[in-house]
Amino acid sequence: MSIGPGFKRTVTFGVVLLVVALGPTASAKPHSVVLGAVRHVPYSKAGDPAGAAPGEDSLKIRALLVDGVLKEWTTGDAHDVTDRSFAVRRVIRLNDSLPGDKSLPGDKATGMGHWVWQRGPWLLVDRVTGRVTALKLPDYDPGVSQVSWFRDYAAYCGLTATGKSLYAVVAQVAARKPMLAKKLMAFDAANPPEPACARPDWQREPLKITFHPAGKDAVSYDLVPGSAVLVEDTEDEAETPEASN
């Protein structure tokens, strides 16, 4: 039985389409995103006057590794926002040297001497693409805000830019405006309470958040849940339209 040229062209064309369709998927390289083992680094009021708790002399940190490469240092528990993205708090290694100070051997590597550790902002990490993004939480202050996560919501006591007012804030990841922003009390930066506000408590049904400002009664707010606004990208390259003949 002979096979005509038309049939051969049809089969060849079908194979080409199959290769094009499977090409990006077959070539996509999976990423390895890992939080390393816990290690302790020196930590004190002198190193982080805004964030160190009373009597806290060490900080637990973990390396964030993407494909075996150190991307950031982190601290505290990670929160799974979706099945592929999680939020974790960054910890910053800061140069505390004054002009004229002599460098000590190994300062940068050990975090001792003129290098100090400070709790920093929150990061959003995508396990699929390996992308690490700094979260911009409204009125978030590393020394005041203790974030409580639920779904893609972050609840915390925020400090205004003037440093004079403490707000109850609920921010949604990737949303431009906070879901909730209510003034709790005036804030005295010269004599701040420790902590200024305890970590808020979530309730699922009905959706409710309770804040605990220092020296004040707890304040609760009912929330209307909305759809997640976080869009998780893929690494597939955008197709370039071919010029028509």
Side-chain angles (χ1 to χ4, degrees):
M1 177 179 176
S2 60
I3 299 176
F7 179 79
K8 290 182 179 179
R9 285 195 297 268
T10 302
V11 172
T12 303
F13 182 68
V15 172
V16 171
L17 285 180
L18 181 61
V19 170
V20 171
L22 296 179
T25 303
S27 62
K29 180 182 178 182
H31 291 275
S32 170
V33 179
V34 177
L35 287 173
V38 174
R39 56 177 289 195
H40 294 258
V41 293
Y43 189 67
S44 66
K45 277 287 185 181
D48 190 0
E56 191 172 29
D57 58 2
S58 67
L59 186 66
K60 296 179 181 179
I61 66 171
R62 290 188 293 174
L64 172 60
L65 304 170
V66 178
D67 298 332
V69 178
L70 174 64
K71 291 296 183 179
E72 299 285 355
W73 289 102
T74 69
T75 186
D77 296 328
H79 167 74
D80 287 326
V81 178
T82 69
D83 58 345
R84 59 176 274 185
S85 296
F86 66 91
V88 67
R89 193 173 184 181
R90 184 188 179 201
V91 63
I92 301 170
R93 189 168 50 188
L94 191 67
N95 185 0
D96 195 45
S97 300
L98 291 171
D101 283 350
K102 293 182 179 180
S103 299
L104 299 177
D107 277 357
K108 188 174 181 180
T110 62
M112 300 182 67
H114 299 307
W115 291 86
V116 295
W117 295 89
Q118 292 189 2
R119 289 186 175 99
W122 283 82
L123 305 171
L124 183 68
V125 184
D126 192 314
R127 293 186 180 92
V128 175
T129 64
R131 186 175 295 113
V132 180
T133 307
L135 290 176
K136 297 180 180 179
L137 302 178
D139 292 332
Y140 174 83
D141 182 271
V144 173
S145 305
Q146 299 191 54
V147 179
S148 178
W149 288 94
F150 175 65
R151 296 178 182 168
D152 62 336
Y153 303 123
Y156 54 92
C157 289
L159 192 62
T160 55
T162 61
K164 295 181 179 180
S165 298
L166 200 67
Y167 269 68
V169 180
V170 175
Q172 190 172 15
V173 174
R176 293 184 178 181
K177 295 182 179 180
M179 185 179 184
L180 173 74
K182 297 287 186 180
K183 184 175 180 179
L184 291 173
M185 64 180 188
F187 185 80
D188 184 2
N191 299 287
E194 295 183 2
C197 188
R199 186 171 281 105
D201 296 320
W202 283 99
Q203 176 183 303
R204 180 183 289 109
E205 295 179 358
L207 187 59
K208 179 183 290 187
I209 187 67
T210 301
F211 291 85
H212 306 278
K216 302 284 185 179
D217 293 334
V219 182
S220 298
Y221 300 96
D222 294 321
L223 303 174
V224 178
S227 300
V229 294
L230 173 62
V231 178
E232 295 164 319
D233 298 327
T234 65
E235 286 193 312
D236 296 343
E237 296 182 359
E239 295 183 3
T240 304
E242 295 183 359
S244 57
N245 295 326

